[in-house]
Amino acid sequence: MSWAQLWKVLSPDKLSTRRMKKLNTETKLQQTVFQGIFFEADDAKALHMIADAFVPELERLKNASTASEPGEPSMGDEGQEKSPSCLLFGKEYDEVNRTLVGMLALKWIWNDDYEAFTSSQNKFVKLKPETFQRLRKLFIDGLRKKADLFNLLTSTIINDLGKDPALAEDVSKITGLPAHAINHDMVIYEAAKADIIPCIRRLDDKHKEELFLGLKLGSTLNGGQLAQAENVPGNLEGLLEMRGHRHAFDLKFLELILDVAGAAGHLDARCAKMMIEPVAQAYLTTHEVALDIIEGRSSLREGYDTVLTRRAEMLVEKGFRRLSVQDPEERALLRMLLMSRTADAEQAELFSQAFDSLPVSIRRKLVNGLNVDGYQDGKAILPYYMPAMFSEALENVSREPLSAKIEAMSSLMRFLTRVLDGTRPMPGKEGKVVERNLMFARATIKSKEFREDPTVLDQLKIPPTPDVQQLLTNQSSFGTYPHAVLTSLRHFQGLAEAAPDKFMRYTYSELLLASCRAVSALLDAPLDTCVFVQNATLGINTVLRNLVYEPRKDVIVYFDTIYGACEKTIFSIVETNPTVTARKVEGYEFPCEHEEVVARFVDVVQGLQREGLRAKVAVFDTICAVPGVRFPFERLTDECRRLGVLSCIDAAHGIGHIPLDLGVLDPDFLVSNCHKNLPPFVFKHSLNHEPLVNRWLFTPRGCALFYVPFRNQHLIRTTYPTSHGYMPPPTSQASIRNPLPAFAPNATPFTALFQFVATTDNAPYYCVPAARKFRGEVCGGEENLMRYLRESMRKGGDRVAEILGTEVMENSADREGGVCGAGSLRDCAFANVRLPLTIASPPLDSSTAENENENRKGVVKGAMAQEEVGRVVDYMQETFVDEFDTFIAVYEYKGRLWTRLSGQVYLDLSDWEWCACVLEDVCARVREGWFRGEDDVGAGHRGGNAAKQGKKGGFDGSKEVEEENDGVKDIAEGFKGFRVEME
């Protein structure tokens, strides 16, 4: 931001001309600092010098959002009625007060003014004189030169500038990252790099370098969060970069102490209110831990646990029992004791009782989440502002009886369990830390309603985290695509918007032709046999509604496992054409052999012939949607040819999923979604990751190949909807004007038919070349990619079944020949795993009240009645989305509940283990009847979906799983580039 821009932002009524002139000149503060007389000034004079030196920075602090601790301003004694903010600006600004009191604390420390530093601290936890001297020694050792002091003042004044929404927006424009997804410390670091924090320009090069090192460390490590166990060991990784930069670290740590010293400055400017004895001890421990990590004496986990252990030792001295970081439950409790700033045995016992009162399943889940490091053990959640939430709750119920306090803290622990989002340690998995800002809960926790009934917090919905995306375990439904393809999509949409008529009339036909070339080459099909439609369902409709059926003779044949929308299409055709009939191929049940399916089909066709009817067309899948198994489409195509039946293949799960050679297969019609090839598991990707959805070929939705060989193109007379490519029959004598340019000279009647189908956004069609390029250059080519999908999904499906104690749907060909064996159901990127749930069959007689109650519970304990299945499926899938940021497909098949899992290159075995734990958790709730709601479950489940109210089950912490790669990890190495691109 230029000085002219700054002047426009800072209005004259806010800034005096005198102060504005000093922005580019040496300030009085600099003069006193370098003359060595800054500490001789009284507090009021020091504040005025600071205000004159940091004009634009203080203006940003006025705008900063705050997360203050509970309480009301209390400036106390006569003569000190005014806070620093009121003294300088005549108005209260919380962040201004907090920052300036921290800077006054620097004076009190340097001048050895213990009385001023501690004047109004709580006498029970007041900072001890000897601890004050330990803090003072850090400052004396760290501020070796006068320039160090000015550096410290500068870093202290800018410490909370990241809370200014305007600065966050400025940084967002510079970095391209969404403002709401950047933490405050990262905002400062990026703003400093962009040179939009003016005061930094006053530092010499050496101190600028040290300040930037400190800012970079602060962007990943918040020392205050470490001191109160708010962050995780993974946040300490930045300390490793401070090796060789000890003085830069020392200055950053001094800034941290001043930040804490001023943390309650908006409430009481008379002293360093928050730097009480237990807090100071925690920060001194943090300093020791950080130095041990920097100098290589301890690991990140060991250093973090030292902070926890010191608090445990302090509480033992206060009379509380000894807690060990070696015990996961005790370690989790210790983290909460630090987050709540617990410093006495009474409050520690309160938290212990609240923790013990949690249901076992919830406690396990909480323990798992609080024991993830976020460093080489998977994703960890940082519950940002959880210490403030504990503080607010304790203040709110401070006058309530012990039982009410226990319930309030238990409620917060259930809330924290939901925040931690089912995370659990996964040794060996790449670590990351995701920050969740919990300030949205503050109003509820402070409310009278919470004080009277803490369970209201269970009903507070946790908003999605902006920098977290879903783990896509259901790529097969809607799909997604990588950044390279997204860039291509936006490019084409931009061309269309820049010159709509030019693009729609002249440009798009060449782009469409390029995509047809790309897809025809992939499938070994002639160019003029391939066109695009929006999705497979539209393609099937186009075939079935174009065919001319002989009344009372022709029959549409389809299979019991047909996709629902296609079956409804057939019903619709029969409804509007009463002389056409349909016949379903039934009697097979997966996991049967392919031979049985083919035999059933032949029996139906031959049976029709014996009845004097004719099978006009047969509709069948390459891979069924439910259950997700490979269908014998090659053999069925051969049988159709032999029996004189038109083959119409629904290859929604085809191109990019399994090898397809249309020159060899030679079907009569085939439609395949290009957007359908990614998995059914929704991963939490971090800040820069886009959501990954179901795109087998990695094109945007909707985009589907429609293949019709030359011999059958005359059968397709119209598109749906009918558009300008339609040619009326010669006998119609109709002359219909086409407002579009003439079709290309090389266009056939078939390709011309599909060239322009109404006005719509066809940009996804044009992205096929970009998708193919990505798959070839980044993913290692079609063969490698498909091999990884098959083999990783086989391992993943087996592992999920093992954890659930159930089975994978497979036939003898799978067991004997492997995933590539002839007749294999699993020769694809799907795995179907049975869920550990029971459906009562046959349903019990519900004619009496007694039997009605038994029927609802099921024959087996935890079973559901048949009529409850739909309700269970809805409950489970909504819970996956609402609580776990994922979607896992659940379906009933032949009296059992199954999950269909869909593999993709960005998923590995640890992701499927996480998926299994989610399934295990939600299945346990179903067995307990949570899906039934309040009437059946009882008062503990308040209204509707109990899972949304924090009544969540937990993962079994004792089930530590070992990653069994069996070569899958080696295959995954080939997709490192893919993962980088997705990120």
Side-chain angles (χ1 to χ4, degrees), residues 724-746:
H724 295 296
Y726 172 73
M727 298 297 293
T731 57
S732 70
Q733 303 297 316
S735 178
I736 305 173
R737 176 179 175 271
N738 183 353
L740 299 175
F743 296 114
N746 57 351

Side-chain angles (χ1 to χ4, degrees), residues 301-451:
R301 174 73 175 231
E302 289 168 345
Y304 190 91
D305 282 355
T306 297
V307 176
L308 301 179
T309 300
R310 294 286 177 83
R311 180 55 57 94
E313 292 169 351
M314 185 191 78
L315 290 173
V316 169
E317 293 175 2
K318 299 289 185 178
F320 189 63
R321 74 179 189 277
R322 184 174 297 279
L323 299 176
S324 170
V325 293
Q326 303 305 317
D327 183 295
E329 287 206 357
E330 293 184 358
R331 186 177 183 276
L333 178 57
L334 269 171
R335 277 196 67 187
M336 290 187 288
L337 291 175
L338 265 81
M339 278 192 266
S340 60
R341 302 164 188 149
T342 298
D344 60 80
E346 182 180 358
Q347 185 165 304
E349 186 59 38
L350 165 64
F351 271 77
S352 179
Q353 290 185 43
F355 184 63
D356 290 342
S357 72
L358 295 173
V360 173
S361 59
I362 294 178
R363 189 165 66 250
R364 283 177 179 169
K365 195 169 185 180
L366 178 60
V367 169
N368 284 334
L370 288 173
N371 277 281
V372 185
D373 291 350
Y375 182 74
Q376 299 179 348
D377 69 345
K379 186 190 76 174
I381 300 292
L382 191 160
Y384 194 32
Y385 288 131
M386 193 64 204
M389 298 304 103
F390 276 127
S391 182
E392 297 281 10
L394 288 167
E395 176 72 15
N396 194 3
V397 298
S398 60
R399 294 182 174 84
E400 301 300 314
L402 177 61
S403 59
K405 292 177 181 177
I406 292 173
E407 177 53 32
M409 293 307 106
S410 178
S411 176
L412 256 72
M413 291 177 189
R414 295 194 300 273
F415 169 74
L416 180 57
T417 303
R418 292 194 290 143
V419 167
L420 295 176
D421 198 29
T423 50
R424 66 198 305 262
M426 293 183 173
K429 182 172 175 57
E430 182 181 0
K432 64 177 177 180
V433 180
V434 175
E435 184 177 288
R436 275 195 158 175
N437 190 319
L438 307 185
M439 285 304 291
F440 68 90
R442 186 184 186 194
T444 299
I445 292 170
K446 290 179 64 176
S447 69
K448 177 183 177 183
E449 290 75 16
F450 176 81
R451 183 167 64 250

Side-chain angles (χ1 to χ4, degrees), residues 559-825:
F559 288 77
D560 183 47
T561 44
I562 190 173
Y563 183 58
C566 295
E567 184 171 22
K568 289 185 176 181
T569 297
I570 294 171
F571 272 69
S572 172
I573 291 172
V574 171
E575 179 184 2
T576 54
N577 297 270
T579 59
V580 178
T581 58
R583 189 70 57 89
K584 182 189 291 188
V585 179
E586 300 178 287
Y588 62 94
E589 181 177 332
F590 290 121
C592 64
E593 309 304 319
H594 278 180
E595 289 80 2
E596 181 178 347
V597 177
V598 175
R600 295 282 181 181
F601 169 70
V602 172
D603 287 346
V604 167
V605 173
Q606 293 177 341
L608 289 171
Q609 293 171 347
R610 289 192 294 271
E611 297 175 32
L613 301 174
R614 178 179 65 188
K616 173 79 171 182
V617 60
V619 183
F620 50 90
D621 301 291
T622 49
I623 299 169
C624 298
V626 174
V629 296
R630 181 153 176 157
F631 212 58
F633 66 95
E634 299 99 327
R635 295 179 59 184
L636 288 171
T637 303
D638 290 341
E639 289 297 333
C640 284
R641 192 178 300 112
R642 183 178 70 83
L643 295 168
V645 181
L646 292 171
S647 56
C648 179
I649 302 180
D650 178 1
H653 305 285
I655 185 171
H657 187 160
I658 55 175
L660 287 177
D661 186 332
L662 299 188
V664 174
L665 182 63
D666 193 26
D668 290 304
F669 307 97
L670 180 142
V671 59
S672 185
N673 285 332
C674 300
H675 65 247
K676 199 75 163 176
N677 268 17
L678 293 183
F681 196 49
V682 188
F683 219 21
K684 286 98 175 159
H685 286 281
S686 62
L687 188 63
N688 295 321
H689 296 196
E690 66 183 43
L692 301 176
V693 207
N694 193 14
R695 297 276 180 282
W696 292 122
L697 194 65
F698 302 153
T699 67
R701 67 183 79 81
C703 175
L705 158 76
F706 182 34
Y707 165 81
V708 181
F710 294 117
R711 66 178 181 272
N712 292 329
Q713 290 183 0
H714 68 285
L715 299 176
I716 306 300
R717 294 280 301 132
T718 182
T719 58
Y720 285 91
T722 299
S723 193
H724 295 296
Y726 172 73
M727 298 297 293
T731 57
S732 70
Q733 303 297 316
S735 178
I736 305 173
R737 176 179 175 271
N738 183 353
L740 299 175
F743 296 114
N746 57 351
T748 68
F750 175 69
T751 59
L753 183 64
F754 287 87
Q755 186 165 317
F756 185 95
V757 183
T759 302
T760 186
D761 180 6
N762 288 330
Y765 297 172
Y766 318 140
C767 295
V768 171
R772 283 216 62 195
K773 179 181 179 182
F774 177 81
R775 292 166 69 87
E777 295 180 358
V778 178
C779 301
E782 298 297 320
E783 183 179 350
N784 280 337
L785 198 157
M786 293 180 192
R787 179 166 59 93
Y788 178 80
L789 294 182
R790 286 195 309 270
E791 297 190 15
S792 65
M793 196 64 261
R794 182 177 183 86
K795 298 298 180 185
D798 289 346
R799 183 63 178 141
V800 172
E802 178 186 354
I803 292 173
L804 295 180
T806 60
E807 62 185 330
V808 179
M809 184 181 289
E810 59 183 8
N811 60 12
S812 62
D814 292 305
R815 291 186 289 273
E816 296 167 7
V819 293
C820 292
S824 167
L825 299 180

Side-chain angles (χ1 to χ4, degrees), residues 69 109 136 253 300 361 427 486 515 571 594 793 866 871 908 917 953:
E69 299 294 333
I109 292 172
R136 186 166 182 267
F253 196 80
L300 304 186
S361 59
L486 175 63
S515 288
F571 272 69
H594 278 180
M793 196 64 261
Q866 181 65 47
R871 190 175 174 186
D908 59 28
C917 293

Side-chain angles (χ1 to χ4, degrees), residues 822-885:
S824 167
L825 299 180
R826 299 180 68 182
D827 187 11
C828 60
F830 284 144
N832 301 269
V833 180
R834 183 170 58 83
L835 297 178
L837 297 170
T838 303
I839 301 172
S841 179
L844 297 179
D845 179 12
S846 58
S847 58
T848 67
E850 180 179 356
N851 279 341
E852 181 178 358
N853 184 59
E854 185 177 10
N855 188 44
R856 290 179 70 103
K857 304 300 182 189
V859 178
V860 179
K861 183 179 181 181
M864 70 198 76
Q866 181 65 47
E867 62 267 24
E868 293 180 309
V869 170
R871 190 175 174 186
V872 167
V873 171
D874 288 345
Y875 165 77
M876 294 183 73
Q877 295 185 155
E878 287 175 10
T879 301
F880 299 145
V881 171
D882 289 348
E883 295 190 31
F884 297 98
D885 293 327

